[in-house]
Amino acid sequence: EVQLVESGGGMVQPGGSLTLSCAASGFTFSGADMSWVRQAPGKGPEWVSVIYAGRGNTYYADSVKGRFTISRVNAKNTVYLHMNSLKPDDTAVYYCYARVYGGTWGQGTQVTVSS
């Protein structure tokens, strides 16, 4: 069974940091491009970042560039999103996405940035 399980969400004050994890199973993780996508209340999905298989090239949305870092540990079948300098506008449900089998999504993890 193909599965993605996110963790690490929570509530944090503006300027704080969080690291999200996404544990993958049921497919060859090292060969899969992995992304993070978020959805804020009342808004559509927003692509956040991608890390490609192979050389591990990374790309970021302008809204998070310089504050977020995506990484992966293939030996652990896990992709991470390290988030620094968090802003209230970063409040959203964060989803992990694998470009396998037509696209596979995790269940999401809530991130709330509030004082």
Side-chain angles (χ1 to χ4, degrees), residues 1-5 23-27 100-101 104:
E1 178 188 5
V2 178
Q3 194 172 20
L4 299 172
V5 179
S25 59
F27 61 96
V100 295
Y101 298 105
T104 298

Side-chain angles (χ1 to χ4, degrees), residues 50-68:
V50 61
I51 183 165
Y52 288 102
R55 285 187 286 182
N57 291 353
T58 60
Y59 298 91
Y60 300 91
D62 287 344
S63 58
V64 307
K65 200 173 294 182
R67 300 187 298 120
F68 291 10

